[in-house]
Amino acid sequence: MAPRGLLVFDMDGVLVDVTESYRETIRRTVQYFTGREIGSDRIQDLKNAGGWTNDWSLAHRIIQDLGVTAGYDSVVAQFQSIFLGDGENGLMRQEKWAARPGLLEDLGGRYRLAVFTGRPRAEAELTLSRFAPHLTFDPLIGAEDVERGKPAPDGLRKIAALTGAGKTWYVGDTVDDARSARAAGVPFIGVAAQTSPQRAELVALFQAENAAAVVTDINQLETVL
């Protein structure tokens, strides 16, 4: 059966649980430069405010807010040393695949699958090759593939131009994902995990952006598509 539409996924918090990878890397980077520990709520406050899909910039902003001057490039370098490590001991290895076995294979039989993420493309490819080497996400649009990141619609528009797809859905976990979808004229499905800090606020933000549906994880997608 030919695919009847296009499913575009964000990665962090959608395809992959990044609680112990990206989110923990933000915390450790902030602690490195400031000597202070921050909680998950502080990170989520900025995510919910919008405009902070780049975790390097987010970490830099929190460091500045805590009264410490640090060069952006130095923050990025420290962040990457924690996240990537030597390839074996970085926090990237703590990521967990969110989809139950067979879910994406089943969806892939009915929809074309693609990815639009704020990650660098190489990091996205590493994670996909680790967890789902047998699946095809085409195209995969990463941070360097668009001039303007989310909430701008550029990535979704680029995917539309590359695929010529008709009906398209975007699945994301931040208000910037929702705003990107709305700007592109694409129905949005929000992921708000039960364990997400400030979940009620996040759900309300999705609803304010006219989300087509809100799920607790992508394993509920088949019930709303």
Side-chain angles (χ1 to χ4, degrees):
M1 181 173 64
R4 67 186 187 195
L6 175 67
L7 275 177
V8 185
F9 294 91
D10 178 43
M11 284 200 69
D12 303 344
V14 177
L15 290 174
V16 182
D17 181 342
V18 296
T19 305
E20 300 301 325
S21 60
Y22 272 114
R23 295 295 177 105
E24 180 63 20
T25 300
I26 293 170
R27 288 190 286 268
R28 292 192 190 185
T29 301
V30 170
Q31 185 176 30
Y32 175 85
F33 285 97
T34 69
R36 296 172 62 180
E37 294 188 5
I38 60 167
S40 299
D41 283 353
R42 185 150 200 167
I43 298 170
Q44 195 63 42
D45 281 340
L46 288 173
K47 292 287 187 180
N48 285 355
W52 297 100
T53 58
N54 183 319
D55 286 346
W56 299 336
S57 296
L58 189 149
H60 188 238
R61 164 66 186 272
I62 294 175
I63 291 165
Q64 291 179 310
D65 286 348
L66 291 175
V68 174
T69 299
Y72 179 75
D73 290 345
S74 297
V75 171
V76 172
Q78 180 62 23
F79 188 107
Q80 292 299 89
S81 72
I82 296 169
F83 184 70
L84 297 176
D86 63 6
E88 295 297 328
N89 61 356
L91 291 184
M92 188 178 191
R93 302 294 297 181
Q94 301 302 312
E95 293 180 338
K96 299 173 184 176
W97 192 242
R100 61 167 174 76
L103 172 72
L104 293 170
E105 291 82 355
D106 290 345
L107 289 174
R110 291 177 283 147
Y111 304 92
R112 180 169 177 170
L113 308 180
V115 166
F116 172 35
T117 176
R119 289 190 186 208
R121 190 180 341 104
E123 291 179 14
E125 289 172 343
L126 278 172
T127 293
L128 291 176
S129 66
R130 176 184 170 200
F131 289 111
H134 57 294
L135 290 173
T136 299
F137 294 89
D138 180 35
L140 190 168
I141 302 298
E144 64 270 55
D145 297 316
V146 291
E147 186 172 340
R148 299 182 302 164
K150 295 176 281 188
D154 299 27
L156 292 172
R157 289 178 176 167
K158 186 168 187 175
I159 288 172
L162 289 170
T163 63
K167 185 66 173 179
T168 300
W169 291 264
Y170 187 38
V171 186
D173 74 318
T174 68
V175 68
D176 283 325
D177 294 329
R179 290 170 179 167
S180 179
R182 180 166 57 82
V186 171
F188 176 72
I189 299 172
V191 176
Q194 293 289 2
T195 56
S196 175
Q198 304 165 10
R199 183 180 189 274
E201 179 183 348
L202 180 59
V203 171
L205 288 167
F206 288 159
Q207 292 170 339
E209 296 297 331
N210 298 320
V214 178
V215 296
T216 57
D217 62 55
I218 60 171
N219 295 300
Q220 296 179 330
L221 277 180
E222 291 179 305
T223 67
V224 299
L225 284 169

